[in-house]
Amino acid sequence: MKKTASKRRQNRVWDFFASVKLTVAILLSLAFTSIIGTLIPQNQPLEMYAIQYGRSLSRVLSFFDLTDMYHSWWFQLLILLMAVNICVCSLDRLSGTWKIVFKKKGSFNKNRFRKRVPKIEFEDKRSPDRLKEVFAPIVSKGFGFFKTEPLEDRDDGFVMLAEKRRWSALGVYLVHLSVLVLLAGAMIGSILGFDGYANIPEGQETDVIRIRNSQKTLKLNFKVRCDDFDVSFYETGAPKEFRSRLSIIEKDGVSFSRDIIVNDPLRHKGVNFFQSSYGRIPSEEIDLSFAMKGSGMAYARKARMGEPVEIPEGAGTFTLKGFKNAYNFMGHNIGPSYMGVFKPKDREPLEVTLPLNYPSFDRMRRDKIVISVTGEEKRYYTGLQVTRDPGVWLVYLGFIMMIIGFYISFFMGRQQMFVEVKRQGGKTRVRVAGFSAKNMLGMKLKAQTLSEKLKRA
């Protein structure tokens, strides 16, 4: 009794995973989650979700991993269920297909040819024994399986059966296997892969990248150096092309160097380096101009970050405090800008912004002193997107297998040829018919061609 109950439970579990209803439920769940992933931006900073959805809802989204759903445990569980469902469904139906493909005698339904399949008929004066010798090499040509059988009703005559491409029934299993390979590649990429970035100043190197939308860092087993960076602009000021010269540094020194641009990455040891952004680096020393409205004089001075500069005519001091690649002024990006603090002798300190693209910007303060940047050494950093996806080759292999499987399933169906020869009233009647579940019209044409060959034989 215990063994019977255990077997029943096993059968129920097997039937559950072999159910088409489970397949439909999983596919609908994946479609629904994909819609959610489209509506909710993925892998964005937490502050963005707090601004867009509010603090409470953003916490709920984060708790259920809806902000990074494609790496969540429940999405990976759906993928695993899909893989198990495909395996069980395939195994559940494989035995019947296996018998069809590898049966030595072939599987023919002669009544189907006699009653339902369109036939081509003609008469011949020769005896069935003579026609058997003539027809055999013609009918068997091009077919993997061929046999001759006497008629069941003991009449004078025979039937010839030819068949090929029985193995095409396995095409659907190749499609199933391709889906499993795709899922395996996606899972491996999700678990072992990463997506990060690195900002490398010209002339410097690094072996550490920061994982995107995370505080985590990852150390590479080699170093990347930015030897040079070049950027060109359109007349409007928009960047036209930016190019980085990168060197890969191993323990023994520089392994190789090459230029990268957008959509032309550098790849090394499975790690991809994409050119994604760039930015200005503040110069160690810049040239400033102090224009005095009272005296009409303009004084040139050099300034370093954090070091006060004495302004001529006893007007006070100016100290550089920072640099921004993109400074927002009244809702507009005015480009790279230095920020500093102006301390007059007789007033409170003032914060001053010095955009590099607008030298006369400081005139808007309507002060007695106008400060501007007259020169600097332009230095850039290259912004690299760094990715690794060890499962990508499995994904490529899965797509190739899927294309081949679909081609076999839809265009290379099993083909059967049937030739019946029967002696009737002093003449021999010949019937030719062909059958294919995938291309019946094509098999009819093949049967017509075969009948013409048999007539001429």
Side-chain angles (χ1 to χ4, degrees), residues 296-421:
M297 297 293 293
Y299 300 94
R301 294 289 186 272
K302 293 186 178 294
R304 288 178 173 270
M305 198 67 67
E307 297 180 6
V309 176
E310 292 289 337
I311 301 176
E313 300 183 12
T317 62
F318 179 79
T319 306
L320 285 175
K321 292 293 186 181
F323 176 83
K324 286 187 177 181
N325 268 295
Y327 186 82
N328 193 329
F329 177 72
M330 299 181 66
H332 298 280
N333 179 13
I334 59 175
S337 305
Y338 284 93
M339 279 72 67
V341 176
F342 172 39
K343 291 184 178 180
K345 292 290 186 181
D346 53 351
R347 286 176 290 161
E348 294 293 324
L350 302 172
E351 292 185 358
V352 177
T353 301
L354 304 176
L356 297 177
N357 297 334
Y358 303 95
S360 59
F361 183 82
D362 193 44
R363 292 182 181 274
M364 290 191 296
R365 285 194 302 113
R366 300 184 182 278
D367 202 336
K368 297 177 181 179
I369 301 175
V370 178
I371 308 172
S372 60
V373 178
T374 57
E376 63 154 357
E377 179 186 0
K378 288 186 178 181
R379 297 176 63 227
Y380 293 91
Y381 71 82
T382 180
L384 303 176
Q385 180 185 1
V386 187
T387 64
R388 180 175 181 267
D389 187 358
V392 67
W393 297 110
L394 281 177
V395 174
Y396 291 155
L397 176 62
F399 275 119
I400 294 173
M401 293 171 60
M402 182 175 289
I403 293 171
I404 296 174
F406 277 130
Y407 183 82
I408 293 173
S409 298
F410 289 106
F411 300 103
M412 299 185 69
R414 182 172 58 159
Q415 296 182 355
Q416 295 177 319
M417 195 65 72
F418 175 86
V419 177
E420 184 180 45
V421 178

Side-chain angles (χ1 to χ4, degrees), residues 26-27 42 44-45 89 134 144 204 254 291 313 345 377 396 416 440:
I26 295 174
L27 290 175
Q42 300 292 296
Q44 299 297 319
C89 285
V134 176
Q204 297 186 24
V254 177
E313 300 183 12
K345 292 290 186 181
E377 179 186 0
Y396 291 155
Q416 295 177 319
M440 196 58 200

Side-chain angles (χ1 to χ4, degrees), residues 25-35 69 75 78-79 82:
I26 295 174
L27 290 175
L28 290 176
S29 300
L30 290 173
F32 180 71
T33 53
S34 298
I35 293 173
M69 50 179 285
F75 189 83
L78 284 175
I79 297 297
M82 173 63 77

Side-chain angles (χ1 to χ4, degrees), residues 54-67:
R55 291 288 178 185
S56 300
L57 184 55
S58 65
R59 291 193 188 98
V60 174
L61 296 177
S62 179
F63 178 79
F64 288 103
D65 290 329
L66 294 176
T67 58

Side-chain angles (χ1 to χ4, degrees), residues 8 20 48 354:
R8 287 176 180 173
V20 177
M48 192 280 290
L354 304 176

